[in-house]
């Protein structure tokens, strides 16, 4: 262990098993460790009858909102305050430490609202005619202690405990208890922190950063947690205790300024920083205190960082030969790439800057200001983009922070609560914008005389700290060399091919630039919503004979041919899986009376007929209705038109020596006879078009199906006889396998996640035991029939790192995801391959 | 082969493979057989240059509507008519045979509508001033032949063929072709006739029943096909050809009257009848012709019969030592029991009889008269019970006959089309009610001066032939000794226990009387629709706190306790599986504005609140929504109330020494954590109630779950850890495994069945490959965890014989079906056991 540490830790795994009641055995162990601390105290203060002063803090590997963090100054009582005064010859200091204890203990251990202490403080300041707490003299502090004790008694019904052991026990208990408060549980869920039995507790002997101007306290990261640059990054406050920095109550000095204050200490700190990084092989988040010129390290742990920083640190550490490429790949959470894939503001766009704060977490966000967490949740659920605007944030705000597009605070530095949480999520944050005067009640911001209300959109720039009026134009992200390096390493290490889900040349282009090697799902339904197209589509739906349907479809053919040509060319050299028409015909008809009347008029049919058809197409459970292959079985002419368009587009491109590679995918197959019948029709149509166009080359267009109905997975051996490939539609497969309607699951899903009935939302991360079992079965059965059967996934799970680990384990050939998730999928696929090899190695 | 036969048969399996084109090899064989026939003709008519006269008929084992049945008199041409005249010295007879050929060949082979010939016939009759065709003299018949030839040419564009071989080929071809016409396909589907490659064709030398008053023709059953009594049953016509009997154009004489006409022939027929039954070990359906005093047998096949007859014949034949008990059990189609389970009219009820026809098929039916098949289909789809009323029925009417509750005809006997088809389906039929004057166009019946319209309900009694005005009260069926014997044999031979689905004491009682050994599914939702109950239910749904919900639930408790007590007592000694509340809460709230307003007033809340809650509870896909266990997870107090009611009812009964055996079933489980959580709550509630009631006995209430979500089946090993039993809810399991909404599947299901994509409607007969695979997996996995796990099925498949064969094969413990299907299930279960043992024996 590096020098300067005096730490004692106990995990509470056994404790939690005992259902929140203190385990006597454990407490005995804690007691023993506290005896060791007592020895330290003796050494330090030179006398045995003097107070044992300790801090108690959570020993959880990551700090969680709602978790009790620290109680300082434990062990102070009316009696030991005298001892401390004697030892330090500083009565004012001793009283200051005591009032801090009563406040902190009352607040975090006993649940007395902080505001009660604040009001009491304000009254004392008024009585003693001072404005800053630093200005309170000995008598003022003595009065404050008395007042705080009164607040404590009023709200807890007990006197402030004068038994130091009781103080300690209660503080330890509070840490353990805080593990299971709803806010902490919510945080773990949002951040997918799982498999932990509980928190540890650290009991540490006190050192004081508030013993005068030769004392201080600070927090720092061994590298810049925002950019990842190898620069010491932190803040400190002279004559202060730790929570003053973290809570953002006073604005601290940058760490580099320590060099001019006490160069000897600064040099020592730099040396320790280096030692810690060598020891832990990763960027560290450290806390330290200087007591009367002596440096003490309070804590070190792996530091939270932005996605950009994670990439840079990982790649740099490979260059510094601290870690291997494979470790670097495993060290960047794939989802964190999201942050560097986020757009930023266009530098060329006009900005109306009203003030500048600290650039606390990168990104660019625009939205309506909201002033309370609940409002942020409600308004974002209504579909508005919102910016949460607070003086400072606290763990109570966690839900609102998650819901907001960005976070803006008027106090606190770059290590304040708002900044740390926002960086963890890759959410844009501007902190400490001191010129903002925030009026929460009237929901108003005053900034340099200008008023901003909840109805004025604002923009915040996490890269510059700028706060701007209106919505500023954004631009796509720019990729750093480290990002490109990491992606190169990822591609070198992964087995799965990454494709994308794209229906337009624009999306295809973005995805290709992001490294997609093909389109796994090109939906065709969106192509029919253009003004002229939708009319032809509706004509087709309203037709009452095959001939009339064919006439309408003929009008759609040139549009489809053009669409397919463009997409095939954008992806040339890579496969493009085109899914034939899938949705309910209902979705193409207007639902309201007015539009129906317009449609009737435009199509020169009676309103009655339009209405009748709309009613006829209505379904009780549309999810399980007349769509996908069922449409094609009843109206094969739709398939014919789409296949003709695909083949004509293909032949046209091939004649220009463009290597376009379409694949035809028939959705919603549940019975092998559906596929065999339509495969035959598809093949026949392909041959007809080739013959009509006098094309003699090999067309070789694979025909496959989506596996998205449980029965299809169960009978995959039969279905594989007619399929060149399987593409798992895990969205629908999840709906049917679990019997959850995605549109309706909001009514019970939150409660299922809260009660831990489900570990994840199965629409985000694949349910490996249920849905995954079907995927595994289908791959195995399919490959029994055709050993080389090409299998991929095109549901939203294709872009989810945890799901990708599963898809790697069943040996799919590819995953397909939305364009912006392609790099995430590439990294996740590499991680999945590496993890699988590790497992093979060790298991 | 018994004496009297001159039959030639060729199957068309190879022919069908050749896609409706005549196979030369096959024709060669037919030619060879025809040469044999020619020799017979030579023997019979004594000259080689005379006509070869044959009939061609379908050789299908069962006759199917739409299938070409027979063409008689083939081989007649202008030239051979002369030969026939010469041979028989009867020019009138030869002409009559010729005009019949042109008509029949034109109609059934060439598709010329029969009405064209009829109109032509009417003109000729007018010209020759006769009213009956029998009265036409030689000249009249000659004119009719000429007129028919003209009709033939007009509608086929060709002359009537004078080449006898061409006539023969075309007739054979027509038989083969008719196998695949939609009506025949529909009939095979309705009657579940599968696995046949096609029909055979019989070519037979002609014998003539219309050669004078010493000739005749008839059809008969070796036993009564309606009751099964061992009485010779049939009809014959003097001086007539076969189709006159079957088509019901002339009303024939009962077979017994043959004894007074020609006792020698009658005696010979009785002897043949006996021989045939001994040979084929089953009741036979025979056709015969008498030509100039000589008896010829034309055909014998196993006869169609009513369910009652099937039972009696099977049981009687065991007594007669013709067959074994096991063969008897396999010989009665389980579904046919439906017919003897049907209610009949209460003999004590008042009847307003307007006329009496032939009791052609037993049962009792009431409904609105409809006059066309299409109308019957449409109106019955609208939910009306209808009686199809026709002069006579023909294969075109088959859909309408199926849709109608009963069939009533004004001509035709007990072997007419209407009678035969109705008996096959166990549908009530009164035939040949000659006093009815049916006006199809004006949709009116005139009977003895009284007018009956489509808006007047009528009743028909298939046991007496009575046609009555209005709806006559029905009574439950009475069971024959043979039925009871068969059921006893069934129970002795089956492995599966039969339970019932029942929610009321009334249904439970019926089911128990039918032999149900317990309730497999007691739904609890219907219990909440009583006037006071629904209010409390709605109060519960509108409540906005757990406390308010509990208050409302408390009001429901006494009702539930009473419901459960009654059902448990009705089923005492047998298990009763009570399913906790399953449906969407939405279903309990009124949908229309007016009822919502009333509800708001009654509950003294604002209309807004009712509406908001209704909207809030609306779901896009209700099938996959917030129901079943999901309700209980979110509102555990509902489960508590229901469990309290069950346990209180149980303790009350047990204290009176009543052996009641409730089982608690938690529906819609998909994740084992759902069940483990609710099992714990259920057990705790059971213990609480027992403690509060001071009950010290062993309660021992099994707690199980429905397996109706694919994921539950896939993870059955996990779920079994918390379940004492599994009950397969195959209705929902089918919906989710196939992705079909039962409510919506009408939009594509018919087309899927027509195109043979699905072999059965999976909601009627279990989809063994898909849904069945999940059932099998779940049973296996469940019993891996708990080898003795009790497994049953409570979906509608539990009463379907074909599905029962499947359930036997996966070794469920029981099936549960609706009360009226219990005897069917008992028989089907015995058959399934016997079949399985046969398979084990041979395979």
């Amino acid at each position: 262990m590096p020098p300067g540490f005096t730490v004692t830790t106990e995990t509470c795994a056994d404790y939690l098993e005992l259902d929140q009641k203190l385990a006597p055995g454990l407490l005995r162990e804690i007691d023993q460790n506290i005896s060791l601390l007592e020895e330290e105290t003796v050494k330090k203060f030179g006398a045995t009858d003097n107070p044992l002063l300790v801090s108690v803090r959570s020993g959880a590997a990551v700090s969680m909102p709602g978790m009790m963090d620290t109680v300082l100054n434990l062990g102070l009582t009316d009696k030991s305050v005298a001892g401390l005064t004697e030892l330090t010859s500083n009565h004012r200091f001793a009283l200051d430490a005591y009032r801090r204890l009563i406040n902190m203990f009352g607040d975090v251990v006993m649940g007395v609202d902080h505001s009660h202490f604040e009001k009491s403080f304000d009254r004392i300041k008024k009585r003693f005619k001072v404005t800053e707490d630093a200005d309170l003299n000995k008598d003022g502090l003595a009065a404050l202690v008395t007042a705080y004790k009164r607040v404590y008694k009023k709200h807890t019904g007990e006197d402030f405990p004068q038994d130091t052991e009781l103080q300690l026990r209660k503080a330890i208990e509070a840490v353990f208890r805080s593990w299971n408060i709803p806010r902490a549980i919510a945080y773990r869920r949002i951040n997918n922190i799982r498999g932990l039995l509980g928190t540890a507790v650290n009991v540490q002997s006190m050192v004081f950063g508030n013993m005068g101007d030769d004392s201080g306290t600070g927090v720092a990261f061994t590298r810049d947690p925002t950019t990842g640059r190898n620069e010491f990054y932190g803040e400190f406050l002279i004559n202060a205790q730790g929570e003053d920095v973290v809570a953002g109550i006073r604005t601290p000095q940058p760490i580099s300024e320590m060099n001019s204050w006490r160069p000897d200490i600064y040099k020592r700190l730099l040396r320790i920083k280096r030692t810690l990084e060598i020891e832990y092989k990763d960027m560290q988040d450290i806390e330290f205190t200087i007591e009367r010129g002596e440096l003490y390290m309070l804590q070190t742990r792996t530091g939270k960082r932005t996605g950009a920083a994670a990439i840079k640190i990982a790649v740099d550490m490979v260059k510094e030969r601290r870690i291997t490429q494979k470790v670097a790949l495993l060290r960047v959470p794939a989802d964190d790439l999201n942050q560097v894939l986020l757009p930023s503001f266009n530098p060329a766009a006009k900005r109306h800057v009203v003030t500048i704060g600290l650039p606390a977490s990168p990104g660019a966000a625009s939205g309506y200001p909201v002033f309370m967490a609940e409002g942020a949740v409600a308004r974002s659920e209504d579909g508005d983009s919102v910016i949460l605007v607070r003086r400072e944030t606290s763990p109570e705000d966690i839900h609102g922070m998650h819901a907001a597009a960005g976070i803006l605070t008027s106090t606190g530095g770059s290590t304040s609560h708002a900044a740390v949480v926002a960086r963890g999520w890759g959410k844009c944050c501007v902190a400490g914008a001191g010129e903002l005067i925030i009026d929460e009640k009237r929901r108003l911001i005053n900034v340099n005389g200008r008023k901003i209300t909840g109805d004025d959109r604002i923009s915040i720039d996490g890269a510059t700290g700028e706060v701007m009026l209106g919505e500023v134009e954004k631009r796509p992200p720019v990729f750093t060399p480290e990002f490109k390096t990491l992606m190169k390493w990822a591609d070198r290490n992964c087995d799965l091919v990454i494709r994308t889900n794209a229906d337009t040349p624009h999306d295809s282009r973005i995805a290709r630039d992001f490294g997609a090697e093909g389109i796994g799902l090109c939906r065709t339904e969106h192509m029919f919503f253009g003004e002229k197209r939708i009319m032809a589509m509706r004509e087709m739906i309203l037709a009452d004979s095959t001939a009339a349907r064919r006439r309408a479809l003929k009008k759609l053919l040139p549009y489809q041919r053009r669409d397919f040509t463009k997409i095939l060319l954008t992806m040339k050299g890579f496969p493009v899986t085109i899914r034939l028409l899938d949705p309910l015909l209902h979705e193409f008809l207007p639902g309201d009376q007015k539009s129906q009347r317009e449609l009737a008029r435009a199509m020169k049919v009676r309103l009655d007929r339009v209405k009748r058809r709309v009613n006829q197409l209505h379904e009780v459970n549309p999810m399980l209705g007349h769509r996908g292959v069922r449409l094609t079985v009843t109206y094969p002419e739709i398939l014919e038109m789409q296949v003709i368009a695909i083949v004509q587009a293909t032949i046209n491109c091939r004649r220009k020596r463009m290597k376009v590679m379409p694949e035809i995918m028939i959705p919603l197959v549940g019975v092998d006879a559906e596929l065999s019948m339509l495969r035959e029709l598809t093949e026949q149509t392909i041959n007809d078009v080739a013959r009509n166009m006098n094309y003699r080359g090999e067309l070789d267009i694979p025909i496959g199906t989506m596996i998205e109905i449980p029965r299809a997975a169960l009978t995959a051996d039969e279905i594989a006889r007619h399929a060149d490939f399987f593409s798992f539609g895990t969205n629908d497969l999840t709906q049917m396998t679990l019997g959850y309607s995605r549109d309706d699951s909001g009514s019970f899903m939150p409660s299922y996640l809260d009660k831990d009935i489900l570990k994840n939302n199965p629409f985000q991360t694949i349910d490996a035991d249920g849905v995954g079992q079907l995927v595994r079965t289908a791959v195995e059965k399919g490959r029994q029939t055709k050993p080389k059967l090409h299998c991929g996934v095109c549901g939203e799970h294709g872009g989810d790192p945890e799901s990708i680990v599963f898809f790697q384990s069943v040996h799919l050939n590819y995953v397909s995801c939305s364009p912006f998730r392609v790099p995430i999928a590439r990294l996740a696929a590499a991680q999945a391959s590496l993890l699988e090899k590790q497992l093979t190695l060790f298991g």
Side-chain angles (χ1 to χ4, degrees), chain A:
Chain A
M1 186 146 307
F5 275 79
T6 53
V7 183
T8 310
T9 312
E10 283 307 322
T11 63
C12 75
D14 301 321
Y15 169 79
L16 278 179
E17 293 280 307
L18 285 173
D19 195 21
Q20 311 289 340
K21 277 168 206 138
L22 277 177
L26 185 64
L27 257 198
R28 235 190 337 268
E29 262 189 72
I30 293 180
D31 284 347
Q32 280 165 9
N33 283 291
I34 287 174
S35 320
L36 293 175
L37 274 184
E38 251 166 356
E39 283 174 33
E40 297 254 340
T41 312
V42 171
K43 265 190 259 164
K44 190 169 161 200
F45 294 108
T48 51
D49 57 344
N50 283 313
L52 161 66
L53 296 182
V54 295
S55 69
V56 164
R57 69 164 82 209
S58 158
V62 284
S63 77
M64 293 169 206
M67 281 289 298
M68 207 202 86
D69 197 59
T70 317
V71 184
L72 301 178
N73 309 324
L74 272 167
L76 279 178
T77 60
D78 292 351
K79 209 171 122 195
S80 61
V81 159
L84 188 61
T85 306
E86 195 182 316
L87 272 171
T88 58
S89 314
N90 188 341
H91 193 192
R92 196 190 165 283
F93 157 74
L95 285 170
D96 187 51
Y98 195 27
R99 66 97 185 172
R100 279 173 190 265
L101 171 65
I102 301 168
N103 181 343
M104 209 178 239
F105 189 89
D107 177 0
V108 303
V109 177
M110 302 302 288
V112 179
D113 201 291
H114 182 58
S115 65
H116 300 305
F117 293 104
E118 269 185 340
K119 272 179 225 145
S120 168
F121 200 178
D122 289 343
R123 277 192 298 274
I124 298 291
K125 282 196 283 192
K126 207 178 272 172
R127 171 136 63 95
F128 287 83
K129 302 192 174 67
V130 299
T131 52
E132 293 287 319
D133 53 344
D135 299 339
L136 269 184
N137 62 12
K138 214 167 52 184
D139 296 340
L141 284 169
L144 191 59
V145 165
T146 311
Y148 273 13
K149 281 196 202 156
R150 223 176 292 127
V151 169
Y152 183 94
K153 177 150 194 186
K154 184 174 170 199
H155 292 279
T156 65
E158 301 164 5
D159 283 321
F160 180 76
Q162 296 297 320
D163 173 351
T164 56
E165 186 145 334
L166 185 67
Q167 282 181 12
L168 181 59
R169 278 180 185 245
K170 282 193 177 247
I172 290 171
E173 226 175 307
V175 173
F176 287 153
R177 204 167 45 225
S178 71
W179 177 258
N180 275 331
I181 70 164
R183 247 186 359 257
I185 293 174
Y187 180 86
R188 291 199 291 272
R189 195 174 65 240
I190 291 169
N191 289 280
N192 214 0
I193 297 171
R194 290 208 307 259
L196 296 179
L197 282 171
T199 180
V201 174
N202 292 338
V203 181
Q204 245 175 316
S205 66
M206 277 299 296
V207 284
F208 296 94
N210 55 341
M211 270 200 183
D213 287 345
D214 58 351
S215 300
T217 190
V219 297
F221 294 88
T222 55
R223 299 186 188 215
D224 184 332
T226 307
T227 63
R229 271 197 290 272
N230 193 355
E231 292 169 358
F232 197 31
Y233 179 96
E235 298 159 325
F236 76 109
L237 270 171
I238 295 168
N239 195 13
Q241 273 201 338
E243 88 271 20
D244 297 340
V245 183
V246 178
I249 292 169
R250 282 166 58 191
T251 301
Q253 292 173 264
I255 196 84
S256 55
E257 288 176 15
M258 195 190 267
N259 201 23
S260 42
W261 176 59
R262 285 287 296 257
D264 55 332
I265 296 175
Y266 187 60
K267 213 172 282 165
R268 182 141 185 249
L269 193 58
L270 288 179
R271 211 163 49 238
I272 290 172
K273 161 194 130 88
R274 217 163 19 247
T275 310
L276 287 174
E277 266 207 0
I278 291 168
E279 173 73 19
Y280 292 108
K281 295 192 172 68
D282 203 349
M283 183 266 265
Q284 295 295 299
D285 165 356
I286 57 183
E287 292 184 25
F288 58 89
T289 285
I290 299 125
E291 186 185 270
R292 288 177 171 165
E294 184 79 38
L295 174 65
Y296 293 90
M297 301 306 294
L298 303 185
Q299 176 170 281
T300 187
R301 54 187 173 187
T302 298
K304 288 190 189 181
R305 64 203 76 180
T306 63
I311 296 166
K312 182 155 174 60
I313 292 169
V315 173
D316 281 356
M317 283 195 162
V318 173
K319 287 188 201 148
E320 296 162 18
R321 298 183 181 273
R322 297 266 171 82
I323 58 176
T324 64
Q325 276 182 20
K326 283 174 188 173
V327 170
L329 281 169
L330 288 170
R331 193 164 275 178
V332 179
D335 260 330
D336 283 6
L337 294 194
N338 230 336
Q339 301 166 28
V340 301
L341 301 172
L342 292 176
S344 54
F345 290 121
N346 187 344
K350 235 179 105 175
R351 299 180 176 214
H352 187 139
V353 178
V354 289
T355 186
I356 297 183
L358 295 170
S361 180
S366 302
Y368 297 102
V370 286
F371 301 88
M372 303 293 280
E374 294 71 37
V377 172
R379 199 149 173 195
S380 78
E381 276 175 0
D382 288 347
D384 280 344
S385 174
V386 300
I387 308 287
L388 181 67
V389 183
R390 303 280 286 163
R391 246 190 108 244
E392 53 183 308
T393 63
S394 73
E396 270 92 25
D397 298 322
I398 207 82
H399 281 303
M401 294 168 79
H402 196 248
I407 298 156
L408 172 61
T409 66
S410 60
T411 59
S414 61
T415 51
S416 66
H417 179 262
V420 171
V421 170
R423 274 200 300 274
W425 287 334
K427 203 176 280 282
C428 171
C429 174
V430 170
E435 291 180 334
L436 300 179
I437 301 165
I438 298 168
D439 183 341
E440 287 176 6
K441 278 198 190 135
R442 295 168 58 208
R443 302 199 288 161
L444 208 67
I445 307 172
N446 241 301
V447 51
N448 303 325
R450 172 187 294 276
K451 275 183 189 148
I452 300 172
T453 74
D455 296 328
D456 303 317
R457 284 179 83 88
I458 59 172
S459 297
I460 56 174
D461 188 335
T464 62
E466 287 165 307
V467 179
M468 296 156 284
L469 280 187
E471 177 143 13
V472 179
E473 191 203 326
K474 299 192 182 74
R475 65 153 191 191
V478 191
F479 301 122
T480 61
E482 285 86 1
F483 173 82
K484 288 176 189 160
T485 303
L486 192 77
M487 286 292 107
K488 206 167 61 196
W489 296 345
D491 292 346
R492 206 182 283 159
N493 280 283
C494 81
D495 299 321
L496 286 163
V497 167
I498 312 300
R499 294 199 196 175
T500 191
N501 301 345
D503 327 335
T504 62
H506 175 255
D507 283 358
S508 312
R509 167 55 52 204
I510 291 178
R512 200 177 171 136
D513 290 347
F514 276 161
E517 300 185 297
I519 293 181
L521 175 62
C522 175
R523 296 180 185 87
T524 53
E525 44 270 22
H526 300 137
M527 298 174 182
F528 295 113
F529 281 96
E531 204 183 333
K532 282 182 194 161
R533 302 165 173 215
I534 190 84
M535 282 310 289
M537 192 69 190
R538 288 171 174 173
E539 195 183 319
M540 194 275 289
I541 295 169
L542 288 169
D544 44 18
S545 72
T546 309
R549 255 192 311 279
R550 279 188 198 283
R551 272 196 303 279
L553 285 163
K554 213 167 174 181
K555 296 184 194 164
L556 290 166
L557 178 62
Y559 295 113
Q560 281 268 279
R561 191 171 47 225
R562 219 172 304 147
D563 294 333
F564 293 145
T565 306
K566 282 188 201 155
I567 291 178
L568 286 168
L569 284 176
T570 314
M571 266 294 158
K572 68 171 188 274
F574 289 126
V576 174
T577 307
I578 297 170
R579 178 176 75 180
L580 302 185
L581 199 67
D582 182 59
L584 301 165
L585 295 182
H586 196 261
E587 294 180 17
F588 297 100
L589 293 184
D592 62 303
Q593 178 98 0
K594 193 170 152 248
S595 311
Q596 287 175 0
R597 195 168 294 127
E598 279 168 16
L599 174 60
R601 206 175 304 132
M603 292 196 44
K604 300 194 179 79
V605 297
R606 290 180 47 190
L607 177 58
D608 264 11
R609 190 160 139 211
V610 174
K611 281 190 168 173
R612 203 177 334 117
R613 190 76 176 125
V614 169
N615 284 337
Q616 192 190 0
L617 290 172
H618 171 80
E619 309 214 40
V620 180
N621 295 293
M623 223 315 275
L624 307 172
H626 191 186
R627 61 189 191 93
V629 71
R630 299 166 197 171
L631 270 184
T632 326
V633 167
T634 38
Y635 306 120
E637 51 277 9
I638 301 178
L639 174 140
E640 280 170 40
M641 182 279 282
Q642 293 201 293
V643 172
I644 292 172
I646 293 168
V647 180
Q648 288 180 344
T650 305
I651 292 178
N652 288 340
C653 294
R654 295 260 180 103
R655 280 188 168 148
K656 290 178 195 143
R657 299 187 179 281
M658 301 293 196
K659 196 183 167 205
V660 296
M661 302 166 64
E663 306 184 331
I664 293 174
M665 178 153 77
I666 295 170
L668 213 70
V669 163
V671 179
D672 64 322
E674 293 171 320
L675 190 59
S676 73
M677 171 186 286
L678 295 180
R679 183 185 181 104
E680 199 175 305
L681 178 61
T682 305
E683 284 177 340
Q684 191 188 307
T685 309
I686 293 174
N687 292 337
D688 288 352
V689 176
R691 200 173 39 247
N692 292 341
M693 291 178 77
N694 236 322
Y695 184 77
R696 292 217 176 69
E698 186 67 63
L699 269 170
D700 201 23
I701 300 175
I703 301 167
T705 182
M706 280 180 85
I707 303 287
E708 50 187 333
I709 287 183
R711 193 186 191 281
L714 293 166
T715 59
D717 43 350
E718 296 293 322
I719 290 175
R721 292 194 290 127
H722 317 290
D724 299 322
F725 61 87
F726 281 175
S727 176
F728 290 92
T730 49
N731 296 350
D732 278 5
L733 193 60
T734 297
Q735 297 199 77
M736 290 182 232
T737 306
L738 276 93
Y740 296 165
S741 162
R742 188 155 58 156
D743 295 328
D744 304 317
S745 58
S747 53
F748 60 86
M749 187 75 79
S751 146
Y752 267 49
L753 292 168
D754 275 352
K755 295 181 180 173
D756 232 8
I757 292 175
L758 294 173
K759 295 211 174 48
N760 294 108
N761 181 334
F763 294 112
Q764 275 162 17
T765 297
I766 195 156
D767 158 41
D769 293 342
V771 181
Q773 189 183 140
L774 284 179
V775 172
R776 189 185 297 273
T777 301
V779 171
E780 286 170 3
K781 287 194 170 185
R783 289 187 181 152
Q784 268 165 31
T785 303
K786 284 190 182 160
K788 302 244 164 203
L789 187 75
H790 212 240
C791 298
V793 64
C794 64
E796 271 167 49
H797 301 97
D800 171 64
E802 197 173 333
S803 305
I804 288 173
V805 172
F806 173 80
F807 296 133
Q808 167 74 25
S809 79
V810 297
H811 299 120
L812 295 191
N813 300 93
Y814 67 90
V815 299
S816 187
C817 59
S818 67
F820 276 93
R821 292 198 74 87
V822 166
I824 296 172
R826 285 161 72 195
L827 178 55
Q831 291 173 344
S833 294
L834 291 170
L835 286 173
E836 196 183 39
K837 274 165 205 140
Q838 261 181 22
L839 287 178
T840 320
L841 215 65
F842 298 119

